[in-house]
Amino acid sequence: MKILIVEDEPKTGAYLKQGLTEAGFVADLAREGWEGLELAKEAHYDLIILDVMLPGLNGWQVLEGLRRAGVEVPVLFLTARDQVEDRVKGLELGADDYLVKPFAFAELLARVRTLVRRGHAGLDAAVLRVADLELDLLRRRATRSGRRIDLTAKEFSLLELFLRRQGEVLPRSLIASQVWDMNFDSDTNVIDVAVRRLRLKIDDGFESKLIHTVRGMGYVLENGLEDRA
């Protein structure tokens, strides 16, 4: 499990990183709001521990930036601000918990484990995954490396088909019947166009390509495979 700590106070940041590392987590530490926001958008984390009073961007602004970018990672606010209105504001912005300084590390660790467990329990059956790509069937949301990918209804159905049958070469006729509910016409390129558009959204800008062409046969979604076209 990977956790991002965004904390500008050096002793607190080092204390949290050491404690969480000893508890078996992989912990990264950012000391400014901008740095924390960029790290959270670039890498996948299971939880973010976020201070409110930060240089550059404050914690609320960081959280707003994450949600706008489609990053739905659980967030635990850790701050000296204990006013009720501050807690309400954080929760309304999409935070999952709020712990006031000073705190007992045992309590923080318990909350961290609860949030991480909650983030994974109940979602696994409703989330299809391959590598860093996730498709949330309940929220109708696709993300890769934590970044949200906007899909049309047909693109969502096409990606769901690929993920449910990952590693299997899908002929155009099967894709047409499953996604478009129609018989495949060899004279139409609707399947190829749709797959090409989906590949641009899923694979463009990522080193690892997931959707591949198998010449004369169809398409396959698989990590670490090269096109055979």
Side-chain angles (χ1 to χ4, degrees):
M1 297 296 178
K2 194 172 181 181
I3 295 177
L4 174 62
I5 305 159
V6 189
E7 168 64 63
D8 66 318
E9 206 287 311
K11 289 185 179 180
T12 302
Y15 171 67
L16 287 171
K17 183 173 183 177
Q18 180 180 347
L20 290 169
T21 300
E22 291 176 353
F25 295 96
V26 176
D28 291 336
L29 176 61
R31 301 199 183 278
E32 293 187 357
W34 282 112
E35 181 187 5
L37 178 60
E38 291 306 311
L39 282 173
K41 289 165 64 177
E42 291 172 0
H44 172 77
Y45 291 97
D46 297 284
L47 176 70
I48 297 176
I49 298 176
L50 183 59
D51 191 15
V52 170
M53 304 305 293
L54 293 166
L57 293 179
N58 63 42
W60 292 321
Q61 292 170 319
V62 171
L63 181 55
E64 286 181 305
L66 289 175
R67 297 309 187 228
R68 280 198 305 270
V71 179
E72 300 296 333
V73 59
V75 171
L76 168 63
F77 268 130
L78 185 65
T79 177
R81 302 175 66 107
D82 61 353
Q83 298 298 314
V84 173
E85 54 267 30
D86 291 332
R87 301 188 193 191
V88 170
K89 181 174 181 178
L91 294 173
E92 286 181 342
L93 288 173
D96 297 87
D97 204 350
Y98 205 110
L99 188 58
V100 177
K101 301 175 183 178
F103 58 90
F105 185 78
E107 181 183 1
L108 177 129
L109 186 58
R111 295 197 185 202
V112 164
R113 285 173 170 160
T114 297
L115 288 173
V116 170
R117 187 165 55 246
R118 185 190 305 165
H120 288 269
L123 287 178
D124 289 342
V127 178
L128 303 177
R129 297 184 178 87
V130 61
D132 55 351
L133 172 67
E134 295 186 356
L135 190 68
D136 188 326
L137 303 180
L138 294 180
R139 297 178 179 178
R140 306 291 292 179
R141 179 177 296 165
T143 59
R144 185 158 186 194
S145 293
R147 299 180 185 179
R148 186 166 179 172
I149 301 169
D150 293 322
L151 300 174
T152 66
K154 287 299 183 185
E155 288 168 346
F156 189 96
S157 298
L158 179 57
L159 183 57
E160 181 180 353
L161 176 64
F162 276 128
L163 281 163
R164 288 192 182 280
R165 305 181 71 161
Q166 58 183 278
E168 180 181 344
V169 178
L170 305 182
R172 292 169 177 81
S173 57
L174 185 145
I175 295 173
S177 63
Q178 294 291 315
V179 178
W180 276 267
D181 193 23
M182 68 177 190
N183 293 323
F184 179 68
D185 183 350
S186 59
D187 292 329
T188 181
N189 66 345
V190 63
I191 306 301
D192 298 313
V193 170
V195 172
R196 185 161 61 247
R197 288 176 177 171
L198 182 62
R199 292 179 76 170
L200 285 173
K201 293 183 177 183
I202 298 301
D203 286 335
D204 195 36
F206 295 92
E207 183 176 352
S208 175
K209 309 303 180 185
L210 299 177
I211 300 176
H212 307 276
T213 302
V214 182
R215 187 176 182 181
M217 298 180 67
Y219 299 95
V220 60
L221 184 145
E222 189 171 353
N223 190 27
L225 187 69
E226 297 295 331
D227 278 4
R228 287 174 274 170

